[in-house]
Amino acid sequence: MPEPDEFVVTPYEVRGRIDYARLRELFGTQELTAELLAKLHHLTGGDLHPLLTRGIYYSHRDLAPILDGFANGKPFFLYSGRGPSGPLHTSHLVPFDLCQWLQRRLGVPMYIQITDDEKYWARSGLTREETASWGLENLYDILALGFDPKRTHVFFDSRSIAALYPLAIRVARKIPYSTVKAVFGFEPSTNIGLVFYTALQTVPCFWPSWAEGHSVPCLIPCGIDQDPHFRVTRDIAEGLGYPKPSLMHSQMVTGLLGDAAMSTSGDRPDNALFLNDPPETVDRKVRNAFTGGRATVEEQRRLGATPEVCSIWALWRTRFAESEDKFQEVTAGCRSGALLCGECKGQLLERVHKFYRYHNEARERVKSWAESTIVTAAPKPI
Ligand code: TRP
């Protein structure tokens, strides 16, 4: 008998040591190849984003047609989202960093969904007031990455429902219960909010086509854990007369305690660097973080360490190495044993603190226009 996979990746659970190549096979997605990256490079000009060159985005669905279409004058829009279950941590920025970069390079519209309803349904410990207020706090953090106020639109589920519902009605009719049960592993005790919810996550994929009255392709950068929602979307798209969304999938970012993802749903706040952590907390979490280091300094000098399993290396890789040279220097130093974990953490912390200072200022500035991005009305009656 084949070994069962030792990991689980669904929108509602990520655990185990993830074999990303195997996960791609299981999900049936395509590899983000060097050829595709070259195509993207050609279109965007300048340097490719580090999240692309460092392999964090590694999988996709139908990326080529959307890029070819754009090159031939057919614009697309970007879509990603956030379930507001608490403060954002640095790995939550991975989809939005790529979106912001693509928006700036290509001038395309961005749709952000804030699912305060989903998190209320999915997390029994949260009140409605909490998911709604985290939704707004999270939105400030996302917009602070540098989104263009004129081209960025937000579906804040509980406040945008009038805009979403006419399409949700049509989407929901196409999705049988047996599909969501199989895709998400729902149990008889699952509340019916979650059963309906996937319809709402689909709506933004079609919304611009509906609003403009002709097909507008959609590109979704997201963590690969969100792919199951969009398999459902892609299955029903054509039946509703809309284009199937394309996707770019990222790997999850290793948690500070060494978990497969920086998720804190198991009540492990030290597993992640939250954007609202004060500087002392950031210091403590980084200093205590799980690394790929050896038991003793002597051993590490002699044998080197293992970046691939290290939560600190994951931070350098996803955000904090400011250049390719710096990233290579850290990686090579780690592997050879020249760079010890304490020194590496110190260098990383300088960058983390700098980013937090910059981010907090940018976050204050977006507050004056964040509300104006929230879509509240449907573009037409049905
Ligand atoms: N379900 C996502 C979460 O739990 C939120 C979300 C809504 C999303 N729409 C999306 C994520 C589109 C990625 C792409 O965080």
Side-chain angles (χ1 to χ4, degrees):
M1 273 223 317
E3 288 283 305
D5 290 305
E6 284 167 7
F7 57 85
V8 174
V9 177
T10 77
Y12 299 108
E13 188 177 17
V14 176
R15 96 181 122 73
R17 181 174 287 280
I18 305 167
D19 175 342
Y20 282 103
R22 173 90 185 112
L23 183 60
R24 219 174 43 63
E25 272 170 30
L26 287 172
F27 279 9
T29 67
Q30 293 118 33
E31 187 185 350
L32 188 54
T33 58
E35 287 81 350
L36 264 173
L37 287 181
K39 208 186 258 282
L40 190 57
H41 195 181
H42 183 71
L43 219 53
T44 52
D47 288 339
L48 272 180
H49 197 283
L51 289 168
L52 298 166
T53 53
R54 296 176 195 163
I56 291 122
Y57 281 89
Y58 84 113
S59 159
H60 76 101
R61 291 184 189 271
D62 286 341
L63 182 59
I66 217 157
L67 298 182
D68 292 341
F70 189 84
N72 294 319
K74 175 128 181 114
F76 67 87
F77 69 95
L78 294 159
Y79 164 41
S80 200
R82 155 73 184 158
S85 52
L88 287 187
H89 50 66
T90 55
S91 83
H92 288 135
L93 300 179
V94 166
F96 299 107
D97 280 329
L98 189 71
C99 287
Q100 189 274 339
W101 178 82
L102 285 166
Q103 182 182 64
R104 208 182 47 212
R105 291 288 172 95
L106 303 176
V108 290
M110 168 78 197
Y111 285 80
I112 300 168
Q113 185 172 36
I114 302 288
T115 62
D116 58 326
D117 50 354
E118 177 195 20
K119 290 296 138 162
Y120 178 61
W121 289 325
R123 298 278 180 88
S124 57
L126 291 172
T127 64
R128 267 296 293 133
E129 290 74 17
E130 283 167 335
T131 61
S133 89
W134 281 124
L136 200 57
E137 296 296 324
N138 291 175
L139 180 60
Y140 296 149
D141 284 311
I142 293 166
L143 295 176
L145 297 176
F147 284 100
D148 175 351
K150 290 186 295 298
R151 294 197 176 98
T152 303
H153 314 283
V154 175
F155 295 118
F156 196 118
D157 282 357
S158 65
R159 297 168 58 181
S160 302
I161 195 64
L164 300 169
Y165 200 57
L167 258 188
I169 294 172
R170 296 169 66 211
V171 167
R173 186 156 88 161
K174 294 279 183 199
I175 307 175
Y177 176 65
S178 57
T179 302
V180 290
K181 184 170 184 295
V183 170
F184 301 107
F186 289 154
E187 303 286 345
S189 60
T190 302
N191 67 63
I192 62 171
L194 275 188
V195 174
F196 173 72
Y197 168 73
T198 196
L200 283 177
Q201 185 154 329
T202 284
V203 166
C205 303
F206 305 151
W207 203 90
S209 296
W210 176 45
E212 291 185 29
H214 60 89
S215 111
V216 189
C218 172
L219 175 62
I220 309 170
C222 62
I224 190 152
D225 61 318
Q226 294 296 313
D227 183 71
H229 282 293
F230 300 115
R231 291 208 285 274
V232 177
T233 309
R234 287 168 54 88
D235 280 350
I236 63 167
E238 281 162 352
L240 287 168
Y242 296 117
K244 290 184 183 191
S246 298
L247 290 112
M248 293 175 77
H249 306 107
S250 68
Q251 300 180 355
M252 317 310 290
V253 181
T254 311
L256 296 176
L257 302 175
D259 295 4
M262 220 185 234
S263 152
T264 51
S265 39
D267 199 20
R268 287 156 71 75
D270 285 2
N271 199 37
L273 284 184
F274 292 106
L275 298 182
N276 64 353
D277 279 341
E280 318 77 71
T281 307
V282 169
D283 280 333
R284 180 179 55 77
K285 287 181 176 179
V286 167
R287 290 291 173 198
N288 293 337
F290 173 82
T291 70
R294 303 272 172 180
T296 66
V297 169
E298 184 279 323
E299 247 183 62
Q300 186 152 336
R301 289 268 185 234
R302 190 158 47 83
L303 302 169
T306 316
E308 288 75 13
V309 300
C310 177
S311 69
I312 297 299
W313 184 74
L315 289 171
W316 283 111
R317 181 178 179 227
T318 43
R319 166 168 294 281
F320 295 105
E322 64 278 12
S323 66
E324 224 26 55
D325 284 352
K326 184 67 201 171
F327 181 59
Q328 294 309 334
E329 177 198 312
V330 169
T331 308
C334 171
R335 244 189 260 296
S336 73
L339 178 62
L340 296 178
C341 296
E343 164 66 15
C344 178
K345 286 179 169 178
Q347 289 190 24
L348 180 90
L349 274 171
E350 278 171 32
R351 283 144 177 102
V352 176
H353 289 310
K354 189 165 154 210
F355 166 70
Y356 273 51
R357 281 194 299 273
Y358 173 84
H359 181 76
N360 282 328
E361 281 173 28
R363 190 179 194 279
E364 286 308 308
R365 286 196 297 273
V366 306
K367 289 184 179 173
S368 63
W369 55 270
E371 288 280 339
S372 71
T373 60
I374 299 177
V375 181
T376 51
K380 40 185 117 165
I382 359 172

